[in-house]
Amino acid sequence: MQLLDGTACSQQIRQEIAAQVNELKAAGKRVPHLAAVLVGNDGASQNYVAMKVRDCEEIGFNSTVIRMDENTSEEELLAKIDELNKDEDIDGFIVQLPVPPQIDENKVILAIDSAKDVDGFCPENVGNMCLGLPTFLSATPNGIMELLKRYDIETEGKHCVVLGRSNIVGTPMAILMSRNSKPGNATVTIAHSRTANLKELCRSADILIVAIGKTEFVTADMVKEGAVVIDVGQTRVPDDSRKSGFRNVGDVDFENVKDKCSYITFVTGGVGPMTRASLLQNTLKAYQRR
Ligand code: NAP
C-alpha cells in the first residue's frame, strides 16, 4: 500500500505557483488577488478560509477575507457579490459554503461572475468542464485528478466508482474521470444513497472515490484487493484528547481498508491540501486570463 501524500503534492504545486508569482514581482507586475466571503460563524468554514488565506500569503498572492454576520440577508450577500464581480483589483473570489439557511446557495452560485468563479461552481464553468473546454475546474475533483497524475496512477480502462453525487464533488469527479484525458478514460459509475447493491458495486471498483460525509462508511469488505481509494470525506467528531476538541474523520475505515489498497489517501494530508492547491491554480488562471 502506498499513501497518496496530498500535503507533499500540494507543496510542489504551491512552489510552482510561487515561482510564477516571483517572476511577476520581478517584472514589477501586480500579483494575483483572491477574496473569500465568509458568512456566519461555522467553525469548519472559518478554519478552511484561514487555511486558504495562509496559502495565499505563503505563495505571494494578495488575499482579502470579507466576514459577514450570521444574520446577513440574501440581498446583502448578493450585493457584496456584485461588488466583488466589479472590483478590478480582485481576480477571483469564493463564497465559503455552506451559507446560513436564510440564503439560497443556488442564487449565490448564479450571482458570481464566471470569470471570477475560482471554485468552478457556476453553470458556465461546469458546462465548459462537461464539454472539455477551458474553465475553472471544481477545486476538489481537480485536486484529486492532479494527485492521480502526479502519482502516475493508471486510470484508462479502469472501473471507477464515485460514491456521492454532489454538484461540487461527486458529479464533477465522475465527469472528469470519464473524459478522454490523462488521467481519465475510466469507465465510471456514480453511486448515491438510492444505489442498490452498493457493497458489490464498490467491490468492483479499481478506483473508488468516496465523497458522502458518513464517517468510516466504506469498510474493508467493500474494497477490491489492489484498489485505489480516494477518501474525500471530512467530518468533525468531538475528541477531548485534542486541543481543538475535535478530529476529522473520513468516509473510509482507513485502518482496516489500507492494507487491501494499492494506493489510498488519509483524511489528514490527503484530498484537503489538494483542494486548496487547486483554488490557487484557478486564481492564477483567473489572473492570467485578465
Ligand atoms: P453532500 O452534498 O452532502 O453529498 C453527499 C452525497 O453522498 C450525496 O450524493 C448522497 O446521496 C451521498 N450519500 C449520502 N449517504 C449515502 C449512503 N449511505 N450511501 C450512498 N451515498 C450516500 O456532500 P459533499 O459536499 O459532496 O461532501 C462529501 C464529503 O466530502 C463531506 O464529508 C465533506 O466535508 C467532504 N469534502 C471534503 C473536501 C476536501 O477538500 N477534503 C471538499 C469538499 C467536501 P443522495 O444524492 O442520494 O442524497
Side-chain angles (χ1 to χ4, degrees):
M1 179 277 289
Q2 186 174 355
L3 192 66
L4 295 169
D5 188 342
T7 303
C9 258
S10 68
Q11 186 61 27
Q12 256 177 28
I13 295 169
R14 285 203 297 269
Q15 279 166 2
E16 289 160 13
I17 299 175
Q20 295 188 56
V21 174
N22 283 338
E23 282 174 22
L24 292 172
K25 282 184 179 162
K29 294 191 177 150
R30 188 178 73 79
V31 296
H33 188 171
L34 173 72
V37 183
L38 179 61
V39 188
N41 309 311
D42 179 71
S45 292
Q46 286 180 348
N47 220 5
Y48 294 146
V49 168
M51 288 193 287
K52 288 167 188 175
V53 168
R54 213 168 46 225
D55 290 343
C56 284
E57 281 167 3
E58 190 191 305
I59 61 163
F61 282 6
N62 286 334
S63 63
T64 301
V65 180
I66 297 138
R67 290 191 172 77
M68 300 182 80
D69 190 80
E70 182 77 36
N71 299 316
T72 299
S73 69
E74 189 175 279
E75 205 181 2
E76 285 167 328
L77 178 57
L78 294 178
K80 179 54 73 182
I81 291 172
D82 189 45
E83 210 180 284
L84 291 168
N85 283 339
K86 291 174 181 153
D87 188 334
E88 284 293 317
D89 193 47
I90 305 277
D91 296 290
F93 67 96
I94 61 157
V95 176
Q96 184 66 45
L97 300 177
V99 283
Q102 71 275 16
I103 299 170
D104 180 345
E105 195 170 290
N106 285 330
K107 284 194 188 162
V108 169
I109 290 169
L110 288 170
I112 298 173
D113 180 349
S114 61
K116 292 192 175 187
D117 169 38
V118 286
D119 255 339
F121 292 164
C122 83
E124 188 179 331
N125 287 323
V126 176
N128 284 340
M129 175 193 65
C130 294
L131 298 174
L133 297 171
T135 189
F136 298 120
L137 292 172
S138 183
T140 301
N142 187 42
I144 293 169
M145 295 301 274
E146 197 71 47
L147 198 57
L148 294 170
K149 185 158 89 188
R150 287 178 188 244
Y151 274 89
D152 202 20
I153 291 174
E154 186 57 82
T155 59
E156 183 167 321
K158 305 289 183 194
H159 182 209
C160 173
V161 172
V162 179
L163 193 41
R165 58 176 164 185
S166 71
N167 288 343
I168 64 166
V169 188
T171 297
M173 190 72 243
I175 292 166
L176 292 177
M177 286 298 281
S178 66
R179 280 200 322 195
N180 185 357
S181 60
K182 191 174 167 50
N185 280 326
T187 304
V188 180
T189 306
I190 308 184
H192 44 77
S193 66
R194 317 292 166 87
T195 299
N197 304 325
L198 196 60
K199 206 168 256 194
E200 290 72 22
L201 184 68
C202 290
R203 224 175 9 229
S204 73
D206 303 305
I207 302 168
L208 180 60
I209 303 177
V210 193
I212 59 173
K214 298 268 180 302
T215 55
E216 299 183 338
F217 180 89
V218 172
T219 46
D221 57 339
M222 294 168 76
V223 176
K224 188 201 245 186
E225 204 67 53
V228 176
V229 175
I230 308 286
D231 187 358
V232 184
Q234 198 168 292
T235 304
R236 280 184 169 196
V237 301
D239 185 342
D240 291 340
S241 71
R242 304 279 173 104
K243 208 171 118 199
S244 61
F246 71 87
R247 73 194 148 90
N248 284 317
V249 179
D251 288 344
V252 175
D253 176 7
F254 180 83
E255 275 313 312
N256 293 306
V257 166
K258 66 180 192 317
D259 293 330
K260 289 188 88 173
C261 301
S262 52
Y263 295 91
I264 187 169
T265 63
F266 183 56
V267 60
T268 307
V271 174
M274 294 304 292
T275 298
R276 282 156 45 204
S278 288
L279 181 66
L280 300 173
Q281 287 175 315
N282 278 347
T283 305
L284 181 63
K285 199 187 273 183
Y287 169 91
Q288 286 164 341
R289 280 187 180 179
R290 289 176 72 209

